[in-house]
Amino acid sequence: MANVSVYNMEGKEVGTMELNDAVFGVEINDHLVHLAVVRQLANNRQGTQKAKTRSEVSGGGRKPWRQKGTGHARQGSTRAPQWTGGGVVFAPTPRDYSLKMNKKERRAALKSVLTSKVQENKLIVLEDLKLDEIKTKAMQNVLNNLNVSKAMVVLADNDQNVVLSARNIPDVITALPSTINVYDVLKYNTLILTKASAAAIEEVYA
């Protein structure tokens, strides 16, 4: 099992913790990680882009001039793509971009990125994370003590003092063990867990 240091909110090491290899020590599968990221980004797309083709633009029913004898090129409609106000050639239409991925694959991808954070020493375990009040400066001080900036903080419960204190800090997000995802774990340089949230992640994903 991976053995990691446990820190307090002042940034001092207060002990160690063993992480479950079933979650934090698996064989990294880059292919599944790639699929998970592509799936999440695709599923976030609205797919509401729309433009009109020549058959959907109003007007253009009458032939603008006779076929021969004018000196102009022949034209059948003023709503053809080459005309101002005409339709778009291959106009985009609303579509569903979402991709599917098996549950086992999604879990394997998440375990892979959690393992990579441990291997790269970018996972920090806190003994506890409690704030007496909602104060951005207090949360920033904790991050400064840990010497991290771009971080994802995973909490065991939805502690509003911590969540609201971190909300205003650029490049810092909070999450629950059940809401972490591959893209966010990769996006943020450091993953910060509390002992309770680390145990909860092991319970959910082991």
Side-chain angles (χ1 to χ4, degrees):
M1 287 191 173
N3 212 350
V4 295
S5 299
V6 177
Y7 298 88
N8 60 18
M9 291 170 56
E10 285 71 46
K12 296 176 182 177
E13 188 175 339
V14 293
T16 59
M17 179 180 182
E18 283 192 345
L19 298 175
N20 191 340
D21 281 345
V23 179
F24 295 96
V26 301
E27 183 179 347
I28 296 175
N29 190 323
D30 292 329
H31 176 62
L32 289 182
V33 171
H34 172 73
L35 289 180
V37 172
V38 170
R39 171 183 172 272
Q40 185 171 341
L41 293 178
N43 291 358
N44 285 343
R45 296 183 69 173
Q46 284 185 310
T48 54
Q49 187 183 16
K50 177 73 175 79
K52 292 183 178 181
T53 63
R54 62 183 293 170
S55 66
E56 295 170 318
V57 180
S58 64
R62 183 175 64 86
K63 189 173 173 66
W65 50 74
R66 60 196 173 93
Q67 182 82 343
K68 291 176 176 291
T70 63
H72 295 296
R74 56 192 174 188
Q75 301 290 335
S77 169
T78 57
R79 295 298 178 260
Q82 72 270 22
W83 285 72
T84 301
V88 178
V89 180
F90 298 112
T93 54
R95 54 168 286 194
D96 181 11
Y97 286 95
S98 63
L99 301 173
K100 290 185 178 179
M101 192 174 177
N102 294 337
K103 185 176 180 180
K104 283 185 178 179
E105 292 177 327
R106 296 200 305 268
R107 292 170 79 95
L110 184 59
K111 291 177 184 179
S112 290
V113 293
L114 291 174
T115 300
S116 71
K117 288 295 182 185
V118 174
Q119 292 180 357
E120 295 166 7
N121 294 320
K122 292 182 178 179
L123 184 142
I124 296 175
V125 178
L126 284 177
E127 188 175 34
D128 200 6
L129 182 56
K130 296 289 183 185
L131 300 178
D132 296 330
E133 56 181 336
I134 299 170
K135 199 167 185 68
T136 303
K137 188 175 181 180
M139 186 64 192
Q140 185 63 63
N141 287 338
V142 174
L143 296 173
N144 291 342
N145 292 338
L146 296 171
N147 197 27
V148 298
S149 53
K150 193 172 182 180
M152 180 180 185
V153 183
V154 184
L155 306 169
D157 53 27
N158 196 18
D159 187 333
Q160 287 298 295
N161 282 3
V162 177
V163 172
L164 297 178
S165 296
R167 186 171 62 178
N168 234 16
I169 303 175
D171 293 329
V172 173
I173 63 164
T174 57
L176 296 172
S178 58
T179 63
I180 58 175
N181 60 76
V182 172
Y183 179 73
D184 283 339
V185 174
L186 287 175
K187 179 181 177 182
Y188 293 89
N189 294 338
T190 308
L191 181 63
I192 300 176
L193 309 176
T194 62
K195 288 181 73 173
S197 67
I201 289 173
E202 290 177 349
E203 185 177 340
V204 172
Y205 298 105

